[in-house]
Each structure stands twice: as structure tokens, then as C-alpha cells.
């Protein structure tokens, strides 16, 4: 099992001078810590205009800085929005990061799921999948060919040589953002690694792994000429401390993250309110005062607890054959000190048990060569992206968003 860390670069209000500077500098220090402790991946999102929830519009810049402060950790676009970026610029930036990092770039792709992000770039919810698929077709020849051109519905690119080329041949490993079960299966069909940005139980993970690997082995339909990347990753809320109680006290940001997802997810096309009209941190604290039991239940989910508690939960995920668990530590107002202590404790007391798993390697080899046939599991019961213990935002709050 591989382990990644995940960054939205959240910054709840109130905002003071220097907050964004500290946010970025602390995150880079956390990546250095993770690299020293032999974490496998660092994933950084691309989002635009999403106040408080994500102040991360230029992951290529952040990851380029991280490439000079780390040695081994894989640096992942989780994800590059193919809807709001020109294909040639995507290919250029991916190649440059691969060069700067000595071949440690991971290329995750996605569409965006909010008109708040799409509309300023001339895109919409109805056509974003078409734009994504055409961008994939345009990008991949750019990594390997001396000259390429593309003439499609959404992009018209004359013959040009996109330089530089990436270190990894023919290209860095490919991933796709997946927030729901159908996109997990779609990632498998297209041959992409699945970045499962949802928060599910071990039972759900088992069903989703089967759905993904059955799609990639039985129903593969690539969008272009690229190397497939059979890998299934799931994000989990995370905070490791010496006791379960201390971990939950330190992990308030995990509930803020869930609250923000639900609050905005219930508005049409996930449209955000006009700038400065909603204080998400205040809305969250109001919800928390009115729903103390729900707050406590949410903190019992994910990988939040002592090393012993987290190891017990991870053993269940290992039985589901997840390839990678991505740990969401930077969320809400979780402190830099607690994030670093969590990474240290987990890295030293939990991670070594799971990092070398010949049984999983043998299982995966058997699935990919066809000697192991996976059951086609009915996944209907596991379609909720948030999980049973997740927060529930009522209609009043949703209407305000």
C-alpha cells in the first residue's frame, strides 16, 4: 500500500495579512517532512475562486517549489483541470515539472464540477466532459512527437512542436479525478489511475476496487495513445495523535472540509455565492453548535485516532486491495504543528507495517493477467461519496449557498 498526502490549501476566514504566505510556506515544510519520512505521494488540487475551501489555483508553481525541497516523494497534479487550461499549456507545464523533479511528476486530470470555476473560462457543465476528452486526445501526442496538430470542436491547434518533453517516457503516470462511482468505473475504462476524492468505508472500498479493476481489465476503451496506469487511490480524513481523543480534538478541519463540500454541493451546479457574501467558517461553527452529535460522529470516521486505531482501520482497507490511501491532513484550521506531528507519528509507528505488501502485489498481478477473476459486485449500496458518518447540511444552509 502506498501513502499520499493531499492539499486543497484551505484558508477559512477571518483572513489577516500574511495568512496566505504562511499557508504556502507551511505546506512546503509539511511536504519536506513527508519526504523525509518516506511518504510516497503529494497531491495538490487546482481550483479557482473557491474562497476558504481552496486557495490553490496554480498547483504547477507549488509543485515546482516542492520539487526543489524534496528528493523522493512523487509530486502529483490532483488534478489539472483540462477544461480551464489549453492542452499545449498543460503539456508544457507537466513536462517542466517532470524535468524539475527528476521524473517524479504524476499527471492527474479532471473537469471541475462547479460553474463558479467553469464560467469565467468559457466552459459549462453540459459540455465539460466533451472538452475533457478532446483535451486528452490533443495532449498526448505532444509528449512524444516532434510536431503535432489538433483540429477539433473545442480546440484548434496548428502544427507545432511542444517543448520540453518529459523525463518519464512516454509520459508521467496518468490519473483521473473521481468523485462518484460512475467516474471510478469511467477511469478504469479509460485506463487512468483513479483518484477517488470521496470518503468511504472499507466495505465500500472493496466494492469500488472491484468496479474499477473489472472496468480496466474487461472494458478498456482508451481515449488516445497512452500507457494505462492501473491504480486505485482513495482519500481519507486524517489526524494521528497519541490518543483517539487527542486526535479528534486536533482534527476539526476534517469536519469543516465535509461541511463545505455538502454546503456547496447542494446548490445548483455547485455555484458559490458572490465574493465575500458568505463566511464559511462562521456557517460551519453555527452548524457545529446546533449539531454536536453529528460533529462527534464525523470525527469517528476516516483515519483519525491513535496509531493503534488507525492501523486497525488500515488493515481493513488493505483487505479491500486499495493501492494508495491519500491522507487529508491540511483542512480547516488544523495547525501546522499538529499536521507535522501527525505525519511524524503515523510515518514512524503505522506506515512501515503497510508499505511492503507482497500479497497485494501478487493479487494485483493476478487480476491484471487474468488469472484472478473479480466478482461483479452490486455497488448501488455504496454510491454515497461522503460515507455513513459524514456531516449532513440541512436545506436551510444549502439554500443560503
Amino acid at each position: 500500500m502506498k501513502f499520499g498526502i493531499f492539499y486543497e490549501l484551505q484558508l477559512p476566514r477571518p483572513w489577516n495579512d500574511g495568512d496566505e504566505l504562511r499557508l504556502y510556506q507551511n505546506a512546503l515544510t509539511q511536504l519536506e517532512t513527508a519526504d523525509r519520512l518516506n511518504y510516497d505521494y503529494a497531491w495538490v488540487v487546482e481550483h479557482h475562486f473557491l474562497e476558504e475551501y481552496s486557495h490553490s489555483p496554480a498547483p504547477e508553481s507549488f509543485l515546482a517549489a516542492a520539487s526543489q525541497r524534496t528528493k523522493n516523494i512523487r509530486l502529483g497534479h490532483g488534478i489539472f483541470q483540462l477544461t480551464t487550461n489549453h492542452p499545449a499549456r498543460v503539456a508544457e507545464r507537466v513536462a517542466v515539472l517532470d524535468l524539475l523533479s527528476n521524473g517524479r511528476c504524476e499527471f492527474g486530470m479532471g473537469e471541475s464540477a462547479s460553474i463558479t470555476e467553469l464560467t469565467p473560462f468559457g466552459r459549462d457543465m453540459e459540455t465539460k466532459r466533451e472538452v475533457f476528452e478532446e483535451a486528452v486526445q490533443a495532449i498526448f501526442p505532444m509528449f512524444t512527437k516532434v510536431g503535432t496538430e489538433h483540429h477539433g470542436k473545442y480546440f484548434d491547434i496548428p502544427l507545432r512542436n511542444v517543448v520540453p518533453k518529459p523525463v518519464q517516457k512516454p509520459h508521467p503516470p496518468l490519473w483521473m479525478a473521481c468523485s462518484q462511482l460512475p467516474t471510478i468505473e469511467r477511469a478504469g475504462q479509460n485506463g487512468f489511475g483513479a483518484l477517488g476524492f470521496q470518503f468511504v468505508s472499507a466495505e465500500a472500498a472493496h466494492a469500488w476496487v472491484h468496479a474499477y479493476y473489472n472496468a480496466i481489465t474487461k472494458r478498456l476503451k482508451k481515449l488516445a495513445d497512452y500507457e494505462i496506469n492501473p491504480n486505485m487511490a482513495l482519500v481519507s480524513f486524517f489526524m494521528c495523535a497519541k490518543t483517539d481523543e487527542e486526535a479528534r480534538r486536533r482534527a476539526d478541519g476534517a469536519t469543516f472540509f465535509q461541511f463545505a463540500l455538502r454546503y456547496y454541493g447542494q446548490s445548483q451546479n455547485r455555484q458559490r455565492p458572490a465574493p465575500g457574501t458568505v463566511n464559511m467558517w462562521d456557517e460551519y461553527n453555527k452548524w457545529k453548535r446546533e449539531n454536536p452529535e453529528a460533529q462527534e460522529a464525523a470525527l469517528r470516521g476516516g483515519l483519525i485516532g491513535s496509531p493503534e486505531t488507525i492501523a486497525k482501520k488500515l488493515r481493513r482497507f488493505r483487505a479491500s486491495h486499495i493501492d494508495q490511501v491519500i491522507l487529508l491532513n491540511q483542512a480547516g484550521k488544523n495547525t501546522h504543528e499538529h499536521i507535522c506531528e501527525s505525519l511524524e507519528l503515523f510515518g514512524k509507528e503505522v506506515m512501515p507495517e503497510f508499505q511492503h505488501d507482497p500479497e497485494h502485489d501478487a493479487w494485483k498481478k493476478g487480476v491484471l493477467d487474468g488469472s484472478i477473476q473479480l466478482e461483479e459486485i452490486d455497488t448501488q449500496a455504496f454510491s454515497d461519496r461522503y460515507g455513513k458518518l459524514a456531516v449532513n447540511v440541512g436545506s436551510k444552509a444549502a439554500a443560503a449557498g
Side-chain angles (χ1 to χ4, degrees):
M1 186 182 290
K2 304 290 187 182
F3 292 95
I5 55 175
F6 177 58
Y7 284 85
E8 294 274 2
L9 294 171
Q10 295 204 322
L11 190 65
R13 285 183 171 89
W15 298 330
N16 299 303
D17 287 345
D19 282 352
E20 288 181 322
L21 175 62
R22 276 187 294 276
L23 173 69
Y24 270 76
Q25 295 301 324
N26 285 344
L28 287 170
T29 300
Q30 292 156 24
L31 259 66
E32 286 184 285
T33 300
D35 184 52
R36 173 173 54 79
L37 293 165
N38 296 317
Y39 285 76
D40 301 290
Y41 292 84
W43 297 99
V44 182
V45 304
E46 177 186 358
H47 278 309
H48 303 277
F49 321 116
L50 304 188
E51 297 178 327
E52 301 185 76
Y53 180 75
S54 177
H55 290 227
S56 180
E60 68 279 4
S61 298
F62 179 87
L63 291 168
S67 75
Q68 302 307 291
R69 295 174 60 164
T70 58
K71 294 181 179 178
N72 299 305
I73 196 167
R74 305 285 300 175
L75 301 173
H77 279 283
I79 47 75
F80 233 130
Q81 292 182 2
L82 300 193
T83 46
T84 61
N85 290 282
H86 190 278
R89 296 293 285 131
V90 173
E92 291 167 344
R93 292 168 185 172
V94 167
V96 168
L97 177 60
D98 209 38
L99 291 165
L100 290 173
S101 64
N102 277 316
R104 289 186 282 139
C105 175
E106 300 278 320
F107 181 20
M109 301 168 285
E111 301 171 359
S112 175
S114 168
I115 61 173
T116 297
E117 295 187 87
L118 291 168
T119 302
F121 296 99
R123 301 301 183 199
D124 55 51
M125 298 289 282
E126 291 72 30
T127 61
K128 67 189 183 83
R129 179 170 175 176
E130 290 181 19
V131 174
F132 172 90
E133 293 185 350
E134 186 178 321
V136 169
Q137 293 161 7
I139 287 168
F140 285 96
M142 296 175 180
F143 287 134
T144 58
K145 299 190 179 199
V146 172
T148 65
E149 58 186 311
H150 176 89
H151 306 286
K153 182 177 179 181
Y154 299 101
F155 302 104
D156 190 44
I157 308 169
L159 181 65
R160 295 291 188 275
N161 184 20
V162 175
V163 292
K165 306 298 185 189
V167 176
Q168 298 175 88
K169 305 300 182 188
H171 49 72
L174 308 180
W175 302 78
M176 189 176 94
C178 306
S179 59
Q180 298 177 19
L181 182 59
T183 49
I184 290 275
E185 294 176 316
R186 183 178 146 206
Q189 267 195 301
N190 293 159
F192 301 138
L195 287 172
F197 294 138
Q198 61 281 317
F199 311 93
V200 298
S201 66
E203 293 80 9
H206 176 76
W208 288 36
V209 165
H210 277 231
Y212 173 77
Y213 274 103
N214 277 330
I216 203 169
T217 57
K218 300 175 184 178
R219 296 179 281 277
L220 183 66
K221 187 179 180 182
K222 296 199 297 182
L223 298 175
D225 183 16
Y226 49 74
E227 284 195 357
I228 68 169
N229 178 33
N231 275 288
M232 174 82 192
L234 284 178
V235 173
S236 178
F237 298 117
F238 173 63
M239 182 63 74
C240 187
K242 291 182 179 178
T243 66
D244 291 349
E245 294 73 22
E246 182 64 20
R248 289 170 190 163
R249 280 195 296 271
R250 294 180 172 193
D252 185 61
T255 323
F256 172 79
F257 190 101
Q258 294 180 62
F259 176 85
L261 274 178
R262 280 274 166 111
Y263 187 99
Y264 287 138
Q266 293 184 45
S267 57
Q268 180 147 10
N269 291 331
R270 296 187 184 177
Q271 182 171 13
R272 269 55 169 179
T277 58
V278 170
N279 184 315
M280 182 55 56
W281 185 251
D282 283 353
E283 293 292 332
Y284 165 62
N285 280 288
K286 187 192 309 177
W287 171 87
K288 194 164 61 168
R289 288 192 297 271
E290 295 171 354
N291 300 274
E293 297 86 2
Q295 154 82 352
E296 292 176 13
L299 291 174
R300 291 197 298 271
L303 297 172
I304 297 171
S306 67
E308 296 77 17
T309 295
I310 291 178
K312 184 177 179 181
K313 291 183 176 183
L314 274 176
R315 290 181 194 115
R316 297 177 66 198
F317 275 105
R318 180 168 60 187
S320 303
H321 292 293
I322 293 293
D323 294 299
Q324 180 184 162
V325 174
I326 305 174
L327 306 166
L328 175 61
N329 213 11
Q330 192 279 320
K333 294 194 177 185
N334 290 357
T335 70
H336 173 62
E337 292 73 22
H338 290 166
I339 291 168
C340 289
E341 289 174 15
S342 177
L343 291 170
E344 289 270 3
L345 191 59
F346 179 87
K348 291 175 180 176
E349 297 194 16
V350 181
M351 205 161 61
E353 176 185 340
F354 299 91
Q355 280 191 303
H356 304 288
D357 190 354
E359 184 179 329
H360 173 73
D361 295 341
W363 174 89
K364 185 170 179 175
K365 181 178 181 298
V367 169
L368 293 175
D369 68 20
S371 59
I372 295 176
Q373 293 292 313
L374 297 181
E375 176 189 2
E376 297 275 3
I377 296 176
D378 182 0
T379 53
Q380 187 61 40
F382 307 111
S383 58
D384 185 355
R385 70 173 292 197
Y386 300 100
K388 294 178 182 178
L389 297 177
V391 306
N392 184 30
V393 178
S395 57
K396 183 178 178 182

